Amino acid sequence: MVVTSSGSAMTVEADPSQAESGAGDAGQLEDRRLPTSTLDGWRRFVHADPSIVELLHADRWSELSEAQRRDYDEARIAHHAELVVVTTSAISEITEEGRLLTLMNQREIGARRGLMVSGAAATGKTTAIKQLGRVHELRTRARFPRSDRIPIVYVTCPPKGSPRKLAMEFARFLGLPPVGARQNVTDIADAVCRVLIDARTDLVIVDEIHNLNLQTSAGEDLSDHLKYFTEHLPATFVYAGIDVERSGVFTGTRGRQLAGRCSLIPTGPFPYGDEWRQLVAAMEATLRLHQHRPGALVEQAKYLHARTGGMIGSLAHLTRAAAIRAILSGTEALTQPLLDKVRIDHAAESATRRASSTR
Ligand SMILES: Nc1ncnc2c1ncn2[C@@H]1O[C@H](COP(=O)(O)OP(=O)(O)OP(=O)(O)O)[C@@H](O)[C@H]1O
Ligand SMILES: [Mg+2]
C-alpha cells in the first residue's frame, strides 16, 4: 500500500514541534520538542523535515526478526505521534492574507494593518499562525539565502501580563542576555526593537492575545506597550486568541484602534460536509498500518464528526491515538470498535453525551 495525500484537495505536512511525548522514539523526535518560543526552537520547527515512514511490503514485514519488528513499530509509532498539519481552508486564508499584508506593509509608512485570528479553544489558531510564520520564513530564506535575518518573531502574550513580561517574551525569543532587575521596561523594549530592526524582522506573531484584558489597568498597559512595538517596528503583526471579539480586546479606545487596523479571520469547529471528509481523508493518508483498507476511515466520517463535534484537534488526537493502539495491539487497522475505545478530550466527550441524550 502506498499512502499519499492525493485524491484530497488538502495537503499534509508534519508539524514536528507538536510531537507527543512518551511515544516510541525512533531517534527523530528527541531534538524536535524545543518550544517554538525561542529562536532556536522556532528555527528547528521551520526547517524540520516531515516524518517519512514507508510501509514495508507484506513479505518483508513477515520476515522481520523480533528486534527489527520492534524498531519498525517504534518508527511507525513515532510517525503517528507527530502532528500532521492539514492545509485547511482557514490555514490557506491565513497564509494568503498574511502574505498580502507583509507585502503591502513593506511600503507603508503610517499605520500598518495586522491580522487577527479568533475562535474557540482548540480550533487550530496556533497551528495556523505558526504555518504562516513557517511559510514566510522559508520564503525569506530562499530569497536571501546567506543573510542572518530573523524574519519572524513568535511570542505568547503572558497571562496577567505586564509590559515588562511582554518585552521579556520578545527578549527570550531573541536570546538576549537575562534582564537585570533594575533594567526598566523601556530599556528592554528598546533593545528588542533595535535587534528586530537590524534583523529585518517583518512578521511578528503574538499568540494568546485574549490574555490582554483591556478592562484592567495591567491589560491597558500591556496594550499600550504592544502599540509601542507596532509603531516602532516595520513589521506586520498577526495576533491569535480565544473569541477575541467578545474578550474585550477590541473594546474601549485602544481596542477600537486595534480593531480598525486588523482583518479578522475566524476559526471554529467544522460542519459535517466536504471539507470535513477531506480532512479525514488527509489524516487517513498519513496512516502506516498494515491491515487498514484505504478509504475505511473516510467511510466513518460521520461517526468521527459525532465523536469530535467537528473539532480538528479531537479528530487529530483520535486518529493518531487509535493508530498507535492499532500497532501496539497488532490489529493494524482503524476500526470503529478500536476508535470507540480511544478517549478524547473532555469538551468533545461531553458534547457527544449531550447529543446522544437529546436523540
Ligand atoms: N491544520 C491542522 N491539521 C491537523 N491538526 C490540526 C490542525 N490544526 C489544529 N490541529 C490539531 O488541533 C490541536 C489544537 O490546535 P491549536 O493548538 O492550533 O488550537 P488553538 O486554537 O490554538 O487552541 P487554544 O485556543 O487552546 O490555544 C493541535 O494540537 C492539533 O492536534
Ligand atoms: Mg493556541
Side-chain angles (χ1 to χ4, degrees), residues 10 14 26 85 149 166 175 211 229 237 258 289 293 350:
M10 296 176 171
V85 175
R149 291 174 182 235
L166 179 68
N211 283 335
F229 278 123
F237 277 67
L258 191 62
L289 299 173
R293 180 172 56 79
S350 27

Side-chain angles (χ1 to χ4, degrees), residues 151-316:
I152 312 279
V153 170
Y154 173 81
V155 293
T156 300
C157 191
K160 294 199 192 127
S162 60
R164 191 182 169 80
K165 277 199 204 162
L166 179 68
M168 280 166 68
E169 286 293 318
F170 277 88
R172 190 159 72 97
F173 183 91
L174 296 169
L176 296 184
V179 175
R182 291 220 306 253
Q183 228 172 327
N184 73 33
V185 61
T186 324
D187 292 342
I188 312 170
D190 278 350
V192 165
C193 283
R194 265 197 310 276
V195 174
L196 295 182
I197 290 169
D198 285 350
R200 292 170 175 263
T201 303
D202 55 0
L203 187 63
V204 175
I205 300 180
V206 185
D207 204 351
E208 310 270 304
I209 191 78
H210 53 265
N211 283 335
L212 191 77
N213 182 351
L214 294 179
Q215 257 92 60
T216 66
S217 54
E220 284 190 349
D221 287 353
L222 197 61
S223 121
D224 285 344
H225 203 65
L226 209 49
K227 196 153 171 285
Y228 173 91
F229 278 123
T230 58
E231 280 163 6
H232 286 78
L233 292 173
T236 301
F237 277 67
V238 173
Y239 312 93
I242 296 179
D243 295 335
V244 174
E245 311 90 298
R246 283 188 292 277
S247 73
V249 173
F250 281 162
T251 54
T253 316
R254 290 177 180 81
R256 280 196 295 275
Q257 271 181 322
L258 191 62
R261 290 185 191 171
C262 273
S263 331
L264 188 126
I265 298 186
T267 58
F270 287 75
Y272 180 67
D274 284 349
E275 191 174 9
W276 176 258
R277 280 187 292 274
Q278 285 169 6
L279 186 59
V280 174
M283 292 194 180
E284 182 168 27
T286 66
L287 297 177
R288 298 292 183 270
L289 299 173
H290 280 275
Q291 310 293 346
H292 188 79
R293 180 172 56 79
L297 199 65
V298 180
E299 284 165 19
Q300 308 267 18
K302 194 154 192 153
Y303 160 85
L304 293 169
H305 192 265
R307 283 267 339 253
T308 60
M311 298 294 276
I312 191 168
S314 310
L315 176 70

Side-chain angles (χ1 to χ4, degrees), residues 95-123:
T95 44
E96 273 166 35
E97 186 69 22
R99 173 154 203 224
L100 194 69
L101 288 175
T102 48
L103 290 172
M104 289 174 71
N105 283 339
Q106 276 171 1
R107 308 253 170 247
E108 182 64 66
I109 300 160
R112 291 180 187 80
R113 294 184 68 88
L115 183 62
M116 176 74 76
V117 178
S118 168
T123 48

